[in-house]
Amino acid sequence: MINGELIDLRAGAYEARIATQGATLVHLRHEGRDVVVPFDAEAAMPEGWQGRALVPWPNRIKDSAYTYCGQTYPVPCNEPATGSALHGLVGWSDFAVASDTPQEGELSEVPLELALPASYAYPWALEISVRFHLDAADGLTVTTTSTNVGAAVSTRATTGAPVLDGVSAPAPYGVSCHPYLTRSVPLDECVLEVPAALVLDVDPHTMAPLGTREVAGTDWDWRAGRLVGATQTDNAYTGLPEGPWSVTLTGGEGGHSAVITSDVPWCQLYSADRLGRPGVAVEPMTCPPNAFNTGEDLITLAVGESHEFVYRLSEKA
């Protein structure tokens, strides 16, 4: 129970394991080959947020505080090295398996549900569903749906949601995921392809955004696909194609590719340097780092409104 309940899914040559804590993808394999870096969920916690759902913001909030509609909210700092609030509020929460999930037989799908209450850091209540669906042809599709179900009012001693024209302001919102693509060989030996034209530079000490620039002519141009070698990255990328786009990691025996597909405007890449470079974290994001302060590509959810985020993981020959 270190990572909550563990659920195994199977479909054709694909198999996946899901942990309820953090709605976490523990492993995904195709014909016995790892598509994502796995971990032993029965004995250990994941490294580097492996496979976790990132809600209601991805990446970092600078200085662990944000100002929204004139109100400032302190957020718990969980990355002391940068002073940041990292990866939202649900990564260590235990989701529940939906009550209508079959209790017997082999599963190819599981929906997980979580009620996130309002807090001093985030005075909106969300109902969150993460549905994992494994298909023999298409691989694993993960759909995260969040609904704003209420906004806390301010009291004498507590700052609730801001009020605009007599109505509670909509909830600021962003979402992502944290799988590490792998080919079960060192990342340096793999070819990475990312269809992003822009990279976000960051302050090396705080990881706060400094501004985007063209990838052309830099070490962060992956558009044609190239050997990773010793290149390091922990950056957000944008300038992605309209509609679905894919990031591909190719290498290892047989030259198969691990593929992640989404349609959101941002993608964080992390070369997992602190983990020994077993793969690359590829995090499709609806907004860039620190969006709760900048407002860039920030989603807002009025009470009763929902947002759906979808990504797919697969292996291609």
Side-chain angles (χ1 to χ4, degrees):
M1 292 296 292
I2 291 172
N3 293 282
E5 183 179 351
L6 303 180
I7 302 110
D8 291 318
L9 306 180
R10 289 182 175 81
Y14 280 102
E15 59 181 78
R17 171 165 283 187
I18 312 302
T20 56
Q21 187 190 53
T24 297
L25 175 62
V26 174
H27 67 237
L28 174 65
R29 298 185 176 114
H30 182 245
E31 296 180 347
R33 294 180 294 269
D34 284 310
V35 178
V36 300
V37 176
F39 70 98
D40 181 2
E42 295 181 0
M45 293 184 293
E47 296 184 312
W49 293 80
Q50 278 174 279
R52 304 228 155 192
L54 312 181
V55 177
W57 69 84
N59 215 285
R60 295 168 175 88
I61 294 178
K62 180 185 176 182
D63 296 330
S64 297
Y66 64 96
T67 299
Y68 177 68
C69 296
Q71 298 279 8
T72 297
Y73 301 93
V75 189
C77 174
N78 57 356
E79 193 178 54
T82 65
S84 302
L86 182 65
H87 289 332
L89 297 171
V90 307
W92 306 97
S93 297
D94 197 21
F95 285 67
V97 177
S99 58
D100 58 354
T101 303
Q103 300 299 305
E104 297 181 359
E106 191 169 280
L107 295 178
S108 61
E109 179 175 291
V110 62
L112 303 181
E113 300 173 340
L114 178 73
L116 178 68
S119 65
Y120 295 154
Y122 190 78
W124 294 271
L126 301 181
E127 288 184 352
I128 304 163
S129 167
V130 184
R131 182 178 295 271
F132 296 85
H133 175 77
L134 197 58
D135 181 84
D138 294 333
L140 181 69
T141 299
V142 184
T143 304
T144 301
T145 305
S146 296
T147 303
N148 179 357
V149 294
V153 300
S154 295
T155 65
R156 181 175 55 190
T158 303
T159 303
V163 175
L164 303 176
D165 298 325
V167 178
S168 295
Y173 180 79
V175 58
S176 183
C177 55
H178 212 304
Y180 287 76
L181 299 187
T182 188
R183 294 291 71 203
S184 298
V185 297
L187 179 62
D188 305 38
E189 301 173 14
C190 297
V191 172
L192 178 64
E193 183 175 350
V194 185
L198 299 171
V199 63
L200 182 67
D201 286 327
V202 295
D203 181 293
H205 303 293
T206 66
M207 297 300 289
L210 298 175
T212 56
R213 60 180 166 127
E214 298 281 343
V215 298
T218 75
D219 286 342
W220 298 278
D221 189 350
W222 308 99
R223 290 174 293 178
R226 62 180 176 85
L227 191 69
V228 176
T231 303
Q232 298 182 5
T233 185
D234 192 1
N235 302 82
Y237 292 74
T238 190
L240 293 156
E242 293 289 334
W245 48 263
S246 296
V247 171
T248 302
L249 187 71
T250 304
E253 186 176 352
H256 297 87
S257 298
V259 183
I260 185 168
T261 301
S262 190
D263 63 357
V264 292
W266 292 86
C267 182
Q268 181 82 11
L269 299 181
Y270 169 48
S271 46
D273 303 282
R274 292 184 294 277
L275 307 183
R277 294 171 66 90
V280 58
V282 184
E283 307 159 47
M285 304 186 299
T286 57
C287 59
N290 205 35
F292 270 35
N293 279 307
T294 67
E296 185 172 5
D297 288 330
L298 186 66
I299 295 164
T300 58
L301 297 176
V303 174
E305 191 172 6
S306 300
H307 176 270
E308 183 176 275
F309 162 66
V310 181
Y311 71 95
R312 177 177 297 153
L313 288 161
S314 61
E315 184 186 63
K316 303 298 183 185

